[in-house]
């Protein structure tokens, strides 16, 4: 027997269709909808609503998938290693090396112009140690941080925190360098305990090497002694039974001083507290400083230690962390003016290290919180910083924002459904407490007297009535109603893309791709003139923020040149003014270029930094080739220049247009300006065209192996079509001139028709 739950009619209007009744017959129980006492086909209503939601899900889901495929690069998973380097809410910390004549003139390794042929790094660029470094030797790591150096003869050892991707706790890793930090051999895990370890402060005392890592989870500060440096350590002593973080011990004026932060106190300002103790030995006993806590202040003041203190020109300096904007936002350096058992005074001094303007595209663009700087026997200073491209908690923040966007899309889908009449009931009454099927008399009595149940029934009824009220007010059949409907759909699409970006798109950083555990840099070169200044400003602002761009060189061919200060550039910008308006200027020898790789990129081409980084990685694999994004195929007895579609139809190419291509600058420029290429250059000047085709012939003329390599961009936009200053506006005439060039260049330098490289050869799918 079934119980017929009936909702009282709300009295006219759209309330009558709320009634739901459960009817029973001899063959079983079925649902019917009674509207104003008449049977309606409830199944049809349900089917139309279900069909609408399925359509909305398919439509918005397709948009989200297409957006993710073509517009996003989820490159926080670079495929560097099959283990480790997982997204971590604490960040993606890495370690870089710096050099200087003093601790206050430090410059990153890329400015030293150190070249390493074995890893195709011309020059080597920071970071030099990343999560991939320990992961690639079998110790999966999500990030590396808190670096400390130990110099032993010609070898430099690097101790650092590595967050284990499996146990999700910190261990102490170690690496060795024999070339002053340009390359590192990763030796493994030096210290692993059952609790989290970090900040491996390492020092000498009485002929022994000691390590004092942070282990605040254990509730005590421990000292370890090396028994077989650098890989074997034994527990030596508990320094202090306090959960100190980021502590160090230094000798100063006849005593040993212990600096550390204890965040366990009730009134302690986290990351804003500092205490000092003193002793006659690193083993203690330790006496507290008279003014403890030295600091208990705002976390931006640098109270928490941020690395090893150092002595320069007889003065002691302490490194602190500024955690104001985010944990570990930046390092601050303080000159210690007074350090006695009764007094302590320090003043901040500028470190002189320039912060990157590339934001998340820089390995340390968001924060750096640790420095260890030491003087080598040569007198040169070497330093290691850690850095991160995202703030702490970024993964959680993006998930929350992405989820909020998806919820907002769901609300808008329901709203659109109400406007078009596909959704007639926001809360089906069968979900409400008054329509829960057969219930006991006691439960019915409770329900009638229960205030919460009554309010819930009233809320459901009012919520369902909103559909008809909304349709009556907006009237979707009118022009204004249609406009509101279209705008609502557009907002839903934008929110869907936004949600996909937050959830799937990673940190939003376009990271570089390492090769043999090394990163490098390239010079970006473009050629332009005064009529294209609008393009150029947008171009420089975008590409100067790509991770691996070291310098932007603008070859100014015609008109009054602008000043470099007119542009928003995150890297050094040089404008090279030419005397003659010639396309040959693009490949002119330029001894001021400090990188081997040069990206020749027209100022009217816009693509993602990730596409640029992928092209650079492929070029580093094949530095003897032209590696670019626009393939062409020259074939047949009658040479004719055709577009990319022709190459696709024949599944191959033998030319890469140098309007968007990586080349070996010194080698390519030398070939182009050789005596052998003089006739070709004259032809380029005659036609004011074909300089990129000539470069391909010159490459092919010097090698029997492949000389071109294609990388497919995710997307590319020709901005000249918006500004009306395209050089080649007449495509047919442009192709005709280039066909003439093909014939003449073939006579000069040999044919290309016997050469062909195929698409879809790479395992990574970058050339499909």
């Amino acid at each position: 027997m079934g119980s017929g739950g009936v909702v009282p009619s709300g009295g006219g209007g759209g309330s009558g269709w709320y009634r739901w009744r459960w009817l029973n017959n001899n063959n079983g129980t079925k649902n019917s909808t009674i509207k104003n006492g008449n049977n309606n086909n409830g199944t049809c209503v349900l089917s139309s609503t279900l069909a609408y939601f399925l359509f909305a899900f398919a439509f918005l889901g397709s948009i989200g998938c297409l957006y993710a495929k073509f517009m996003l690069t989820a490159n926080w998973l670079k495929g560097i290693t099959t283990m480790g380097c997982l997204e971590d809410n604490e960040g993606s910390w890495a370690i870089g090396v710096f050099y200087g004549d003093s601790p206050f003139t430090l410059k990153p390794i890329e400015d030293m112009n150190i070249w390493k042929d074995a890893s195709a790094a011309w020059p080597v660029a920071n970071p030099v140690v990343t999560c991939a470094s320990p992961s690639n030797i079998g110790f999966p790591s999500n990030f590396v941080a808190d670096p400390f150096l130990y110099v032993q003869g010609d070898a430099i050892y690097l101790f650092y925190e590595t967050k284990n991707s499996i146990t999700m706790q910190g261990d102490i890793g170690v690496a060795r360098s024999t070339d002053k930090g340009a390359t590192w051999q990763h030796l493994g895990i030096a210290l692993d305990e059952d609790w989290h370890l970090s900040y491996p402060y390492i020092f000498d005392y009485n002929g022994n090497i000691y390590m004092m890592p942070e282990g605040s989870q254990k509730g005590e500060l421990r000292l370890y002694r090396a028994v077989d440096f650098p890989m074997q350590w034994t527990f030596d002593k508990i320094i202090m039974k306090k959960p100190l973080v980021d502590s160090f011990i230094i000798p100063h004026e006849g005593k040993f001083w212990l600096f550390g932060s204890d965040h366990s106190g009730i009134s302690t300002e986290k990351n804003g507290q500092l205490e000092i103790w003193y002793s006659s030995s690193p083993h203690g006993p330790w006496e507290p400083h008279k003014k403890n806590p030295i600091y208990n202040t705002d976390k931006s003041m640098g109270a928490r230690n941020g690395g090893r203190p150092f002595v320069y020109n007889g003065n002691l300096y302490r490194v602190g962390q500024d955690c104001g904007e985010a944990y570990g936002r930046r390092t601050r350096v303080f000159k210690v003016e007074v350090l006695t058992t009764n007094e302590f005074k320090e003043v901040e001094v500028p470190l002189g290290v320039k912060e990157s303007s590339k934001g998340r595209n820089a390995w340390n663009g968001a924060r750096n919180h640790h420095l260890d700087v030491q003087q080598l026997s040569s007198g040169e200073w070497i330093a290691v910083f850690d850095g991160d491209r995202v703030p702490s908690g970024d993964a959680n923040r993006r998930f929350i924002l992405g989820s909020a966007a998806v919820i907002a899309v769901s609300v808008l889908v329901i709203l659109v459904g109400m406007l078009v009449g596909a959704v007639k009931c926001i809360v089906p009454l069968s979900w409400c407490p008054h329509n829960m099927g057969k219930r006991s008399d006691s439960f019915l009595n409770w329900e009638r007297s229960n205030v919460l149940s009554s309010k819930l029934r009233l809320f459901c009824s009012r919520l369902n009535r909103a559909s008809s009220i909304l349709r009556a007010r907006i009237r979707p059949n009118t022009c204004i109603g249609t406009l509101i409907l279209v705008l609502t759909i557009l907002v839903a699409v934008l929110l869907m893309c936004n949600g996909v970006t937050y959830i799937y798109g990673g940190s939003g950083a376009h990271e570089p791709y390492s090769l043999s555990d090394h990163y490098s840099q390239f010079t970006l070169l473009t050629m332009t003139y005064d009529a294209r200044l609008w393009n150029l400003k947008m171009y420089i602002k975008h590409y100067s923020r790509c991770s691996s761009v070291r310098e932007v060189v603008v070859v100014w061919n015609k008109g009054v040149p602008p000043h470099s200060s007119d542009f928003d550039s995150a890297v050094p910008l040089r404008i090279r003014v030419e005397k003659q308006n010639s396309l040959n200027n693009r490949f002119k020898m330029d001894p001021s270029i400090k990188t081997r790789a040069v990206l020749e990129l027209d100022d009217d081409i816009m693509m993602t930094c990730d596409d640029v980084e992928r092209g650079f990685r492929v070029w580093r694999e094949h530095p003897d080739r032209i590696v670019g994004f626009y393939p062409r195929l020259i074939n047949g007895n009658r040479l004719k220049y055709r577009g990319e579609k022709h190459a696709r139809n024949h599944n191959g190419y033998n030319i890469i247009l140098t309007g968007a291509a990586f080349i070996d600058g010194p080698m390519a420029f030398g070939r182009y300006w050789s005596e052998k290429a003089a006739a070709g250059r004259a032809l380029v000047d005659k036609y004011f065209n074909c300089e990129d085709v000539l470069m391909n012939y010159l490459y092919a003329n010097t090698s029997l192996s492949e000389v071109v390599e294609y990388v497919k961009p995710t997307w590319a936009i020709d901005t000249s079509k918006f500004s009306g200053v395209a050089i080649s506006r007449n495509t047919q005439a442009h192709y005709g001139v280039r066909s003439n060039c093909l014939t003449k260049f073939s006579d000069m330098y040999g044919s290309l028709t016997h050469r062909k490289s195929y698409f879809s050869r790479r395992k990574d799918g970058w050339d499909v």
Side-chain angles (χ1 to χ4, degrees), residues 69-82:
K69 180 178 180 181
F70 294 108
M71 301 301 292
L72 294 183
T73 54
N75 52 5
W76 45 273
L77 293 176
K78 279 294 187 183
I80 298 174
T81 174
T82 56

Side-chain angles (χ1 to χ4, degrees), residues 724-745:
V725 292
I727 294 177
S728 308
R729 288 187 287 269
N730 189 330
T731 302
Q732 186 174 356
H734 176 65
Y735 278 24
V737 172
R738 293 171 86 81
S739 295
N740 290 336
C741 290
L742 292 176
T743 301
K744 296 184 181 296
F745 288 157

Side-chain angles (χ1 to χ4, degrees), residues 405-640:
V406 172
I407 292 172
V409 169
S410 303
V411 172
L412 291 178
V413 166
I414 295 174
L415 180 62
V416 171
M418 293 167 60
L419 290 176
V420 300
V423 178
K424 299 181 179 179
C425 180
I426 299 176
V427 181
L429 297 187
S430 59
W431 296 0
C432 298
H434 63 271
N435 197 21
M436 297 171 59
K438 187 175 181 179
R439 290 159 293 177
S440 66
D441 292 338
S442 60
F443 185 86
L444 288 171
N445 292 332
W446 172 85
E447 184 185 21
R448 292 189 190 100
S449 63
N450 189 273
V451 176
L452 178 62
S453 176
S454 300
K455 288 185 176 181
L456 186 57
R457 288 201 304 272
L458 182 61
F459 174 76
C460 292
S461 298
R462 289 178 176 176
L463 195 59
N464 289 342
R465 197 177 300 127
S467 174
S468 57
I469 295 173
L470 190 64
R471 282 178 55 81
R473 289 189 176 182
I474 294 180
R475 291 179 293 177
N477 292 330
T478 65
C479 292
I480 295 179
T482 302
L483 179 61
I484 293 174
L485 189 64
V486 171
L487 289 176
T488 305
I489 294 173
L490 288 177
V491 171
V493 170
L494 291 175
L495 284 173
M496 173 58 72
C497 296
N498 201 37
V500 170
T501 299
Y502 280 122
I503 295 174
Y504 172 77
S507 66
H510 288 207
E511 301 179 31
Y513 293 78
S514 70
L515 180 66
S516 301
D517 210 19
H518 262 158
Y519 295 92
S520 189
Q521 291 185 325
F522 62 87
T523 299
L524 177 63
L525 188 147
T526 189
M527 187 169 60
T528 189
Y529 63 104
D530 52 1
R532 298 162 69 94
L533 189 59
W534 174 83
N535 278 21
L536 187 63
K537 287 185 176 182
M538 181 172 58
Y539 173 101
I540 290 176
K541 182 176 182 179
H542 172 65
Y543 287 115
S544 68
R545 286 162 173 78
C546 295
S547 293
S548 301
V549 174
R550 176 171 179 173
E551 179 191 26
V552 176
V553 177
V554 177
V555 179
W556 194 262
N557 253 3
K558 185 178 70 173
V560 179
H563 296 285
S564 58
S565 59
D566 295 337
F567 301 92
D568 180 7
S569 179
V571 298
L573 170 66
R574 180 162 55 94
I575 299 176
R576 197 180 79 199
V577 181
E578 300 294 344
K579 296 179 180 179
Q580 179 185 355
N581 184 14
S582 170
L583 295 182
N584 290 319
N585 293 333
R586 158 172 273 159
F587 302 120
K588 183 176 288 188
M589 296 292 294
D590 189 342
S592 296
I593 293 177
K594 302 301 182 183
T595 64
R596 181 175 174 183
V598 174
L599 172 58
E600 296 273 357
L601 186 62
D602 288 347
D603 65 332
D604 54 5
I605 294 177
M606 295 296 290
M607 62 178 69
T608 67
C609 284
D610 183 68
D611 288 332
V612 172
E613 295 294 344
R614 289 191 295 116
F616 184 40
R617 162 63 188 266
V618 174
W619 179 85
R620 291 178 64 194
E621 296 174 3
H622 308 287
D624 56 338
R625 301 180 186 178
I626 300 175
V627 177
F629 305 93
Y630 291 93
R632 298 291 186 265
L633 178 64
I634 309 303
N635 62 351
N637 295 325
R638 183 172 176 270
L639 297 181
K640 184 177 180 181

Side-chain angles (χ1 to χ4, degrees), residues 296-313:
N296 191 26
T297 183
D298 185 82
K299 58 186 177 182
S300 66
M301 300 305 293
R304 181 169 176 171
N305 293 323
R308 183 191 302 273
F310 60 90
V311 176
Y312 178 66
N313 285 344

